[in-house]
Amino acid sequence: MERKHILSFIATLLRSGRFFMKIQKLMKSMILPLLLSIGFAIFSPAANAEVRAGFLTNQGDGNFELADVDGTWDVYASNEDAEKRLSSQTELNKTYCASISGEGDIRKLRFHFKDFTIKKPQACLSDKKLMAEYPQMAPKPSSSSETRCGWFNADPGGLTLTDKDGGWNLLIADGSEKILFPKNGAREWCGCVTGETNKSEMAFTSISSFKSKPNKACQ
């Protein structure tokens, strides 16, 4: 008898449409969201998990900046340990060649790194695309100490030395060129100067000593 009541109840639900309404409601509330989440997990690629390389600068307070071919990124550590390690291996306001791995947002140029590698400067300097974007990162020509002899000439436009290689600018930021001037007030004289030079710019960057010579030594 009880079985007949159950069958009768089911038949009534089917005829009234209430059964299908309950099934639809169940699909919407539970099954459909579950299927969608499974689909996203399978077919959605992790597009923001990546490795980026470029010029990394420690800006302090756990903030870093990475300049690469896509722009300048605001870089943050994804955990406290990563921040401590990077802060301990870099100096404030100093730029390094580095690669970082983690998750980035290209639209906002924000990157949360999990790990990093500090590289040799040449690794970035040899990257033509990177250097095309940031030519100011190229190292400046190194200075070398040497002694040069020739004619010194003082005029309102500056102070120069002319030797076998051409004319050299002798105006120094710290004013050390004052030791070059002769006591007799001559506008042109012969002598030798020793100091740091930048050959690509034909200029002395510092002066350590000067020795005057007879004019005939430069003729």
Side-chain angles (χ1 to χ4, degrees), residues 100-119:
I100 54 177
S101 59
E103 297 181 350
D105 185 340
I106 188 65
R107 294 170 301 174
K108 297 181 179 180
L109 287 176
R110 292 182 179 176
F111 199 98
H112 287 82
F113 75 92
K114 296 180 180 179
D115 202 1
F116 65 91
T117 301
I118 302 296
K119 300 182 176 182

Side-chain angles (χ1 to χ4, degrees), residues 85-130:
R85 287 190 296 111
L86 185 54
S87 296
S88 67
Q89 294 185 34
T90 57
E91 297 179 20
L92 185 63
N93 297 324
K94 189 173 180 179
T95 299
Y96 301 82
C97 180
S99 63
I100 54 177
S101 59
E103 297 181 350
D105 185 340
I106 188 65
R107 294 170 301 174
K108 297 181 179 180
L109 287 176
R110 292 182 179 176
F111 199 98
H112 287 82
F113 75 92
K114 296 180 180 179
D115 202 1
F116 65 91
T117 301
I118 302 296
K119 300 182 176 182
K120 293 182 178 180
Q122 191 59 33
C124 288
L125 298 176
S126 60
D127 188 325
K128 293 183 179 180
K129 288 185 177 180
L130 188 62

Side-chain angles (χ1 to χ4, degrees), residues 173-189:
D174 61 6
S176 57
E177 74 275 5
K178 62 185 179 182
I179 67 171
L180 304 176
F181 290 94
K183 295 181 179 180
N184 61 9
R187 308 296 295 180
E188 188 178 57
W189 63 98

